[in-house]
Amino acid sequence: MEMATVRHRPEALELLEAQSKFTKKELQILYRGFKNECPSGVVNEDTFKEIYSQFFPQGDSTTYAHFLFNAFDTDHNGSVSFEDFVMGLSILLRGTVQEKLNWAFNLYDINKDGYITKEEMLDIMKAIYDMMGKCTYPVLKEDAPRQHVETFFQKMDKNKDGVVTIDEFIESCQKDENIMRSMQLFENVI
Ligand SMILES: [Ca+2]
Ligand SMILES: [Ca+2]
Ligand SMILES: [Ca+2]
C-alpha cells in the first residue's frame, strides 16, 4: 500500500508542462482526477475497459478499449502512467492536425509495424461499431464496417501495394474532406 501514497513530484509536473500543451493548473486538476480514479498512479487495461463501458453502456467497448489502451501506452509496458495519459490527451485535445493524424495512425496500426493493413482497419472499425451498439445506430447493416473500410482503404492505399503507410495516411486524410470528417467523428469516441 506504500505505492498508493506516493505523490507526484513537482519537477515531474514541470517536465510535463514543458512537454504537453497543458498549463500547470490544468495538469494539477488532471492529476487529481487521475489519482482519484487510479490511486496506484497507473491504469491497467481492465480499468481502461471499465471506464469505457461506463461511457458506452449500450454497446460492447472491450475491443476498442484494448486498441485505445495500446495507443496510450506509448512505451508498451502494459500500463498507462499519468505521463502516458497526459501526452495522449494533449495530442487529442490540443494537437495539430498532423499530430492527431500520427496518433490515429498509431491506433490503426495494431501490431505497430509501421503499416496499416485492411485487416487492421477492419478490426478497428468493427470495434467502434460494437462499442456504439445497436441502439445508437438502429439502421446499421451487418456489413457496414467492411464497406466503410473498402472505401477508406481504396482512397488511402495510393500505390496499391495492400498497405497504408504514414505518408499515404496523412496525405489522403488531409486531401479528402470525407475522411477528415470521419476522423472527427472518430475523435468523438476517444
Ligand atoms: Ca506505459
Ligand atoms: Ca500494422
Ligand atoms: Ca500503399
Side-chain angles (χ1 to χ4, degrees):
M1 280 290 100
E2 255 327 270
M3 280 294 285
T5 57
V6 171
R7 290 180 62 89
H8 217 72
R9 298 188 316 279
E11 58 269 31
L13 274 190
E14 251 160 52
L15 190 68
L16 265 184
E17 192 190 350
Q19 287 171 341
S20 74
K21 292 176 184 173
F22 294 114
T23 64
K24 196 172 191 171
K25 183 94 200 133
E26 287 172 325
L27 284 171
Q28 283 166 346
I29 293 168
L30 278 174
Y31 186 62
R32 231 170 286 146
F34 190 85
K35 280 296 261 196
N36 245 341
E37 289 295 321
C38 323
S40 66
V42 291
V43 186
N44 60 27
E45 198 173 320
D46 285 339
T47 318
F48 218 75
K49 285 176 181 172
E50 264 169 46
I51 294 170
Y52 254 75
S53 63
Q54 285 165 23
F55 281 118
F56 299 93
Q58 75 278 28
D60 179 1
S61 55
T62 317
T63 316
Y64 191 64
H66 168 74
F67 294 144
L68 266 187
F69 182 85
N70 287 343
F72 268 100
D73 180 16
T74 43
D75 58 359
H76 307 298
N77 68 346
S79 63
V80 170
S81 63
F82 182 65
E83 283 80 0
D84 289 337
F85 178 70
V86 164
M87 292 315 291
L89 269 193
S90 174
I91 292 170
L92 294 171
L93 299 176
R94 309 250 165 105
T96 62
V97 170
Q98 179 97 15
E99 285 169 336
K100 285 180 186 174
L101 289 176
N102 269 318
W103 199 91
F105 183 87
N106 181 48
L107 172 71
Y108 277 107
D109 178 14
I110 293 171
N111 66 357
K112 317 293 177 210
D113 69 347
Y115 303 101
I116 300 174
T117 62
K118 202 181 274 186
E119 286 70 33
E120 286 175 321
M121 205 178 261
L122 188 61
D123 284 346
I124 298 275
M125 284 295 165
K126 275 186 184 157
I128 292 178
Y129 279 83
D130 283 349
M131 178 173 69
M132 295 307 211
K134 295 263 188 294
C135 309
T136 323
Y137 290 101
V139 292
L140 209 66
K141 293 193 206 89
E142 274 302 306
D143 57 348
R146 189 169 290 276
Q147 284 172 358
H148 211 140
V149 164
E150 277 301 329
T151 317
F152 263 37
F153 210 86
Q154 271 170 28
K155 280 183 185 166
M156 287 187 178
D157 184 14
K158 294 258 185 290
N159 65 355
K160 306 288 171 213
D161 67 347
V163 292
V164 172
T165 62
I166 182 77
D167 291 338
E168 286 176 326
F169 185 77
I170 288 179
E171 198 195 326
S172 35
C173 286
Q174 283 178 331
K175 264 191 199 152
D176 193 307
E177 253 183 49
N178 283 326
I179 297 181
M180 270 317 241
R181 223 173 294 132
S182 305
M183 292 288 303
Q184 273 148 14
L185 181 111
F186 152 87
E187 263 175 35
N188 292 335
V189 300
I190 286 178

